[in-house]
Amino acid sequence: TDRSANSVSLEWDAPSGNAVLNYELYRNGSRVATPSAASYTDTGLTSNSEYTYTVRTRDTNNSLSEASAPLTVRTLVPSV
């Protein structure tokens, strides 16, 4: 996980087993992206704020996994 004042870059492990169609990324309980790769940069965030992320996997059978364990990240304070 990498972060700045206005963004958070996330990476996660791809699951073994069924082929992955895409992922659903949630921030504070709301879906914000459906990336096809196991990474995403969330931009346009407020500095010095906490965000909680979870990820779900959608496989090629269109089955959606349970949500991952939550990850809470705080954006940085902008440098002056």
Side-chain angles (χ1 to χ4, degrees):
T1 304
D2 191 20
R3 61 199 171 114
S4 72
N6 303 106
S7 68
V8 173
S9 295
L10 303 159
E11 291 184 15
W12 53 91
D13 294 330
S16 58
N18 290 345
V20 173
L21 179 63
N22 61 24
Y23 300 91
E24 291 189 355
L25 179 68
Y26 294 82
R27 179 196 333 118
N28 299 339
S30 296
R31 188 172 65 189
V32 292
T34 54
S36 57
S39 63
Y40 183 76
T41 299
D42 194 13
T43 60
L45 304 176
T46 302
S47 62
N48 196 30
S49 297
E50 244 182 28
Y51 297 95
T52 300
Y53 293 93
T54 56
V55 177
R56 297 177 76 183
T57 303
R58 183 177 304 280
D59 66 22
T60 53
N61 295 322
N62 210 29
S63 297
L64 198 57
S65 74
E66 293 295 318
S68 66
L71 172 68
T72 300
V73 180
R74 179 174 287 278
T75 51
L76 300 177
V77 175
S79 54
V80 180

